[in-house]
Amino acid sequence: TVKNTMVESRTINSTAVNSTGYPPNLKMGIVQILVVVFLYVNSLLIVTFFKKEAFRTNMRYMFFAHTLVVDCIFLLLTNLVLLWSYFNILITAWSCILVCFIMGILTYATPLTLTAMCLERYVAICMPLRHADISTTSRAISSILIILALSAIPSTLILTILFSSVSLSFYTTRTICTVEITIVHKWQSYLRSAIAQFCFFVMAIIIAFTYLKIMAAAKAASSDNKRLASKGSKTVILHSMQLLLCLTEMLCPFIEMAVYEVNMQLFLDVRYFNYLAFILAPRCLSPLVYGLRDNKFYLVLKYYALFGLNKK
């Protein structure tokens, strides 16, 4: 029931804060430092993107900027929820539902965008003559809107079930914010898991398809094109790693709740590890893939990072 779920949520967080510290002060300090660093780096990359028109009109960089914005908002919201839990702050249920809805959209937006970026690399390397016609600014904007619409479907479905199952008094109840308050029936958890697994399956097929096609093109290409195809295949591999971490994040709540039934301290350690490995880590791979490996972007990034002292 909703009441039991909210009581369980409050018990989990309250016990974690008061008994063992959720997480301990040192762990919380480490998380805050990492969040600040990632937000600073991502913000610098976003500024770099908007400074050059060549980036703003290129589909690949537009997708990249979209992931940066999504990751920044996601990190801010997840860190806000973490701080609410750490300080045992109660908020109204409707506020928590709104935050969870936005986080749900952003959770799917990043892996879907990564999949779209792999497809863009496939078109650039395997269909170079059609790349300019396909990868236009208008199509990039349309693709981003489609990605956001698709990302909203799972959260909308879960919230529709919630709205049809609770009374109006539920929305004004004050509780510690957690995604679990949106789950009012046990079968909703299975539904959420099924959606996540389906998305993982579809995206994995697309990633594997693009990688195999790019590798085939690399073998048949000339020396110049072979370097381009080789770099493209490495980019797809990095996207695959990032995508795997993002999709694993969708399964973390189920793992955490199962561990909670066994041991509280183990639950806290698992939740802390999941936050670092599957929320923070994937968000730091984006700067690596395009911010540092892309020569054009790296030169502009270096210029603004050094406040214009590097004139190259």
Side-chain angles (χ1 to χ4, degrees):
T1 65
V2 176
K3 184 177 181 181
N4 290 338
T5 302
M6 292 177 63
V7 170
E8 182 185 58
S9 168
R10 187 179 291 113
T11 301
I12 292 174
N13 291 280
S14 179
T15 303
V17 172
N18 297 327
S19 298
T20 60
Y22 172 59
N25 291 333
L26 178 60
K27 291 183 177 181
M28 175 60 76
I30 293 174
V31 168
Q32 296 309 306
I33 292 173
L34 290 175
V35 169
V36 170
V37 171
F38 291 160
L39 287 176
Y40 170 74
V41 173
N42 283 4
S43 299
L44 186 60
L45 291 168
I46 293 172
V47 170
T48 302
F49 168 79
F50 283 106
K51 286 292 185 178
K52 292 294 181 180
E53 184 179 359
F55 298 149
R56 300 196 302 269
T57 56
N58 186 300
M59 175 181 277
R60 179 161 57 111
Y61 294 114
M62 291 176 70
F63 282 152
F64 174 52
H66 175 65
T67 60
L68 292 174
V69 173
V70 166
D71 289 346
C72 284
I73 299 174
F74 186 78
L75 284 176
L76 285 172
L77 291 179
T78 54
N79 193 54
L80 181 62
V81 172
L82 180 67
L83 291 174
W84 283 341
S85 299
Y86 181 74
F87 291 108
N88 209 15
I89 297 176
L90 304 180
I91 66 172
T92 55
W94 70 265
S95 301
C96 181
I97 291 172
L98 178 61
V99 171
C100 291
F101 178 73
I102 297 174
M103 288 196 302
I105 294 176
L106 301 180
T107 297
Y108 283 91
T110 293
L112 284 173
T113 306
L114 292 174
T115 305
M117 293 171 80
C118 290
L119 288 173
E120 188 277 335
R121 287 293 82 199
Y122 160 73
V123 173
I125 295 171
C126 300
M127 306 167 62
L129 298 180
R130 299 183 57 190
H131 181 252
D133 296 329
I134 295 176
S135 301
T136 61
T137 303
S138 59
R139 288 188 176 179
I141 296 174
S142 299
S143 299
I144 291 173
L145 293 176
I146 292 173
I147 287 171
L148 292 175
L150 292 174
S151 302
I153 292 177
S155 295
T156 302
L157 184 60
I158 294 296
L159 291 190
T160 300
I161 299 172
L162 172 67
F163 294 153
S164 63
S165 304
V166 300
S167 62
L168 292 177
S169 61
F170 166 76
Y171 302 106
T172 57
T173 305
R174 300 187 69 82
T175 180
I176 286 183
C177 187
T178 176
V179 177
E180 281 71 28
I181 74 166
T182 62
I183 304 298
V184 295
H185 305 289
K186 189 173 182 179
W187 57 266
Q188 275 182 274
S189 298
Y190 300 129
L191 175 63
R192 188 171 64 174
S193 177
I195 293 174
Q197 292 177 36
F198 174 77
C199 291
F200 177 86
F201 180 72
V202 173
M203 294 178 195
I205 291 178
I206 294 175
I207 294 291
F209 169 79
T210 56
Y211 178 75
L212 292 175
K213 286 292 185 180
I214 290 174
M215 289 300 293
K219 292 181 179 180
S222 60
S223 58
D224 291 337
N225 291 333
K226 187 168 292 188
R227 282 197 303 269
L228 177 63
S230 176
K231 188 173 182 179
S233 64
K234 293 177 181 178
T235 300
V236 172
I237 291 175
L238 287 172
H239 282 324
S240 302
M241 295 171 55
Q242 192 176 5
L243 184 63
L244 180 61
L245 292 174
C246 289
L247 293 175
T248 305
E249 171 198 332
M250 301 176 187
L251 304 177
C252 288
F254 308 104
I255 299 173
E256 291 171 5
M257 292 309 297
V259 172
Y260 171 71
E261 299 294 334
V262 178
N263 182 274
M264 171 59 72
Q265 185 57 51
L266 181 60
F267 163 78
L268 296 175
D269 293 337
V270 169
R271 173 167 280 192
Y272 180 72
F273 173 80
N274 287 345
Y275 188 82
L276 292 180
F278 304 120
I279 293 182
L280 292 183
R283 273 76 195 176
C284 74
L285 282 179
S286 290
L288 174 63
V289 176
Y290 281 114
L292 300 179
R293 293 182 67 249
D294 187 282
N295 292 331
K296 295 179 181 179
F297 202 92
Y298 174 72
L299 289 176
V300 181
L301 173 64
K302 185 177 179 181
Y303 176 83
Y304 289 109
L306 298 177
F307 304 102
L309 296 178
N310 177 34
K311 300 298 183 182
K312 184 176 179 179

